[in-house]
Amino acid sequence: WATDHADPERGWELAASMAETDLPINAAANHALGGFRDIDQITWVSALRCPVTFVHGTHDPRPVHTVRALAAHASRARKRVVSDAGHLPWLEQPEQVREILHEIVVNAASG
């Protein structure tokens, strides 16, 4: 997990804290999540009529083009990039994520 973070030094700290949890790994949930095919995700997001916000860290090791490709199928996609963050932006840049969440709530409340 350390490589999922923008800052490798901080990544080791964050990865260690995640690994030290008392919660067991839910193998069934991980298996189910890994079972989604691209077409399943495209079909699901294409059917949504509500706004969908796609969030991606600038240093996420997973390619941003896959997020953009999925967002292209959403009728009301919003894309937000979190600077200096990897795959878990809420851990590395909580204030930026807080601002994104605030924006989502405000937009939902204003209809």
Side-chain angles (χ1 to χ4, degrees):
W1 298 323
T3 59
D4 282 351
H5 302 281
D7 177 1
E9 291 297 318
R10 180 86 171 113
W12 281 107
E13 293 172 29
L14 293 168
S17 67
M18 289 190 305
E20 292 171 353
T21 181
D22 291 335
L23 300 172
I25 294 174
N26 187 330
N30 282 319
H31 179 71
L33 289 172
F36 286 114
R37 300 169 299 158
D38 289 347
I39 192 64
D40 296 331
Q41 294 178 30
I42 290 168
T43 300
W44 177 77
V45 81
S46 296
L48 295 174
R49 297 295 163 242
C50 62
V52 179
T53 302
F54 294 84
V55 179
H56 197 269
T58 55
H59 296 287
D60 191 331
R62 288 135 185 102
V64 71
H65 71 83
T66 59
V67 176
R68 287 188 186 127
L70 183 59
H73 294 279
S75 64
R76 297 175 65 192
R78 297 175 181 152
K79 295 169 232 118
R80 299 296 180 263
V81 175
V82 179
S83 59
D84 299 318
H87 190 63
L88 308 170
W90 58 92
L91 293 177
E92 293 181 282
Q93 300 298 335
E95 189 56 40
Q96 285 185 58
V97 174
R98 216 174 277 115
E99 289 170 10
I100 292 168
L101 293 173
H102 182 263
E103 175 188 311
I104 292 168
V105 171
V106 168
N107 286 335
S110 63

